[in-house]
């Protein structure tokens, strides 16, 4: 498998380090001019897509749209914080090439998302309130995290799609509504990523937590996704397709 990496930030560098020798053939990053084992281009249209099997995007939300318009080979999008307009472009791009999209590339997190939905389907109707707490390093730009939204969406779908997402309770003085799901964010230090779903019932609490100890888990997940998407027909794929 031959890979082009789009974005050589922390995740992009981790993917390059974990990929087998010779696997990464080129990279794209406007802020980095050289790398040890492969050429780096400042723009997408400067790289040779014919030399690769897949592009792994590890950039930022503002750079994804340009990549989508230019990509001609299978694409794995690891970037979070994508807006609605870019998401529509993702769907359009998936009509002509295979696109793999996940707000979190960790296999463990995606299992947590599945488990949270299944648990909510049982406990929400039994009077349990549901809250999500996420924590990340102080350099993360978006809040809440894409993973927190993934968890909330999974829970909401499992409970009939009627829950209201509440991100900040400081704006009003009233008790918690039964149709709420609270999502709280912490930013500090070098926290790689922690997500906890809290099911709070009468005199009892159940928590489902995933704690990332390094960025390697995301890089490994990105490589698994890249291997999965190569050879697929056009369409939009996710971790659900891998975990089936």
């Amino acid at each position: 498998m031959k890979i082009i990496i789009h974005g050589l930030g922390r995740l992009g560098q981790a993917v390059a380090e974990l990929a087998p020798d010779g696997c990464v053939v080129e990279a794209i990053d406007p802020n980095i001019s050289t790398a040890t084992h492969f050429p780096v281009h400042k723009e997408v249209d400067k790289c040779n897509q014919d030399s690769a099997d897949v592009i792994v995007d590890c950039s930022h939300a503002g750079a994804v749209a340009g990549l989508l318009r230019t990509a001609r080979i299978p694409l794995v999008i690891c970037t979070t914080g994508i807006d609605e307009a870019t998401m529509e472009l993702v769907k359009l791009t998936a009509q002509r090439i295979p696109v793999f999209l996940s707000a979190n590339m960790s296999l463990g997190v995606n299992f947590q998302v599945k488990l949270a939905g299944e648990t909510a389907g049982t406990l929400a109707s039994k009077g349990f309130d549901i809250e999500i707490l996420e924590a990340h390093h102080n350099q993360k730009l978006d809040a809440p995290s894409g993973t927190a939204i993934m968890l909330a969406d999974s829970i909401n779908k499992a409970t009939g799609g009627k829950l209201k997402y509440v991100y900040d309770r400081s704006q009003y003085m009233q008790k918690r509504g039964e149709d709420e799901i609270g999502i709280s964010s912490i930013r500090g230090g070098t926290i790689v990523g922690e997500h906890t779903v809290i099911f709070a019932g009468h005199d009892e609490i159940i928590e489902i937590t995933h704690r990332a100890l390094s960025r390697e888990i995301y890089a490994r997940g990105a490589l698994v996704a890249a291997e999965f998407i190569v050879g697929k027909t056009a369409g939009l794929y996710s971790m659900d397709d891998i975990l089936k």
Side-chain angles (χ1 to χ4, degrees), residues 88-156:
E88 288 303 312
L89 190 54
V90 167
K91 295 174 183 176
L92 285 173
T93 304
Q95 294 177 13
R96 59 181 178 82
I97 61 172
V99 177
F100 188 102
L101 176 67
S102 178
N104 192 302
M105 300 308 295
S106 160
L107 294 172
V109 158
N110 281 274
F111 182 75
Q112 180 195 29
V113 169
K114 182 178 180 181
L115 185 60
E118 292 174 353
T119 305
T122 299
L123 295 183
S125 62
K126 304 296 189 296
F128 280 73
D129 297 321
I130 305 172
E131 297 279 312
I132 296 171
L133 176 63
E134 59 98 350
H136 286 85
H137 53 86
N138 57 22
Q139 300 301 302
K140 186 170 178 61
L141 300 179
D142 56 311
S145 68
T147 302
I149 299 300
M150 280 176 64
L151 287 161
D153 289 346
S154 177
I155 291 165
N156 199 19

Side-chain angles (χ1 to χ4, degrees), residues 1-3 53-55 74 76 98 225-233:
M1 180 175 62
K2 301 298 181 183
I3 297 174
D53 303 303
V54 60
I55 299 173
V76 174
E227 211 168 301
F228 170 84
I229 201 76
V230 171
K232 292 291 189 295
T233 57

Side-chain angles (χ1 to χ4, degrees), residues 19-20 25 30 34 38 42 76 101 108 117-118 124 134 144 161 163 178 189 192-193 199 220 222:
V25 292
T34 60
F38 47 84
K42 293 190 178 299
V76 174
L101 176 67
E118 292 174 353
E134 59 98 350
L163 295 179
E178 294 182 358
V192 177
F199 297 90
R220 292 186 188 281

